[in-house]
Amino acid sequence: MTNFFRAEVDAMTGYIPGEQPKRGSKIIKLNSNENPYPPSPKIKDVLQNFDWEWLRRYPDSSATDFRNAISKALDIPADWIIVGNGSDEVLNLVIRACTNSQRKVVYPMPTYVLYRTLVEMQPAERVEIDYPEDYKLPIEELVKVGGAVTFIATPNSPSGHIVPVENLRELATRLSGVLVIDEAYVDFAEGDGLSVVKEFENVISIRTLSKGYSLAGIRLGFGIAHPKLLQGLYKVKDSYNIDAIACAIGAAAMSDQNYKNYCAQKVKISRRKLSGDLKKLGFKVWDSQTNFLLVQPPQGNAEYLYLKLKEQGILIRYFKQEGLEDKLRITVGAHEENKVLVEALSGLVE
Ligand SMILES: *Cc1c(COP(=O)(O)O)cnc(C)c1O
């Protein structure tokens, strides 16, 4: 304990990101849901032709080129879009703009661990509601809390399941606070929540270029909502949260939907193959609409397998968390990576 910090900060643990091995190491990295394919080749041209002299200027504070490209790709007006330094920043903007010590933030568990960290930083009340076994959304409990902010990740991590759009619509109708639909994995899913965003002023969809667009390293995400909702978020945003290079890269990536869809299709094919291979080894595998799989090993010895794979240079994710102790989250890699993983696991479960 020090007295440097606010009580909330002293009390918090801090977010623990997935391990990032050194570049060039021969690790097979299936722990952070990164895309196994490189970003759009159009980005190479952007970097090669970038006017470096222009870097002496501050960047465009609302990243107009990037927003226009999003607008065009998703057929949403540009003033319905706010961009962030990763979608994590947009999630944080919502918390910053909407919470205080009397206001609640609620979400179903298990879900993206960062929500807890973001709320812990603020003087806000955190309410976590357990998902049932079958991952049906606990609508009544969520509504009863009446949060200033309700987070729903769909598709969800680490379960990989999708929340039906009728459930999102019902929540939007019955909540007076902000409903955040975190659609980080939407590029690998069937359907999305955009119709709900268009219909309700209290709903924001938050998306990232880290997963579908293979750009985790550049930190780009965005939110889509009615301009009335974005107004408050713009007030609490750092003025220059997107640098000029990222803005140009983001615009190029969004303009190349064909390439993104092509890679997502390959991931979906590998997802089906990996799921089948793991089932053959006796794993329970949850249906996934993402680029990862939640699995339960036949002997339930998830932590052991996680550690053994690590010794063999394969990183996957293990959460020491209630309900997840006997499960593993495995990112769908490229074909060869998945093959090495399955071979290693088959040696370990026998
Ligand atoms: C990966 C992930 C994000 C964060 O994406 P960034 O844009 O890289 O910050 C947000 N939400 C969920 C559920 C994620 O899995």
Side-chain angles (χ1 to χ4, degrees), residues 127-185:
V127 183
E128 298 178 341
I129 292 179
D130 284 336
Y131 263 116
E133 282 279 296
D134 61 1
Y135 287 110
K136 238 174 89 96
L137 192 70
I139 296 186
E140 294 305 324
E141 284 109 308
L142 291 167
V143 169
K144 213 189 292 163
V145 174
V149 178
T150 304
F151 284 120
I152 304 289
T154 177
N156 187 48
S157 172
S159 61
H161 83 282
I162 203 157
V163 174
V165 77
E166 311 85 71
N167 290 175
L168 298 174
R169 184 167 287 114
E170 183 177 349
L171 267 186
T173 312
R174 296 176 64 189
L175 291 172
S176 55
V178 173
L179 172 61
V180 176
I181 310 178
D182 183 347
E183 300 192 291
Y185 298 100

Side-chain angles (χ1 to χ4, degrees), residues 2-58:
T2 66
N3 52 13
F4 294 149
F5 308 116
R6 290 184 281 117
E8 291 89 1
V9 175
D10 260 329
M12 67 187 277
T13 322
Y15 182 71
I16 302 166
E19 298 149 78
Q20 294 293 350
K22 278 218 180 67
R23 204 174 154 193
S25 61
K26 283 209 187 67
I27 301 282
I28 293 186
K29 191 173 178 311
L30 305 174
N31 64 340
S32 299
N33 301 339
E34 288 138 332
N35 200 306
Y37 303 108
S40 161
K42 298 217 163 114
I43 290 166
K44 249 191 195 163
D45 300 339
V46 169
L47 287 173
Q48 265 156 5
N49 300 322
F50 192 83
D51 180 7
W52 63 272
E53 191 269 341
W54 199 244
L55 288 176
R56 67 193 171 79
R57 295 277 181 92
Y58 280 103

Side-chain angles (χ1 to χ4, degrees), residues 180-238:
V180 176
I181 310 178
D182 183 347
E183 300 192 291
Y185 298 100
V186 70
D187 303 300
F188 308 102
E190 308 304 319
D192 65 33
L194 273 189
S195 65
V196 186
V197 172
K198 289 177 187 162
E199 196 178 336
F200 297 92
E201 287 179 0
N202 61 333
V203 180
I204 181 166
S205 157
I206 295 183
R207 298 185 174 197
T208 178
L209 276 72
S210 299
K211 315 276 165 60
Y213 297 84
S214 311
L215 285 172
I218 206 77
R219 312 303 302 130
L220 281 174
F222 56 94
I224 309 164
H226 193 283
K228 253 197 219 169
L229 175 51
L230 295 190
Q231 210 179 27
L233 305 190
Y234 268 105
K235 285 188 197 165
V236 299
K237 172 178 99 58
D238 291 345

Side-chain angles (χ1 to χ4, degrees), residues 62-82:
S62 69
T64 310
D65 291 347
F66 180 34
R67 273 189 310 119
N68 285 341
I70 298 166
S71 164
K72 206 165 156 208
L74 300 180
D75 195 21
I76 301 279
D79 64 341
W80 281 59
I81 299 163
I82 187 167

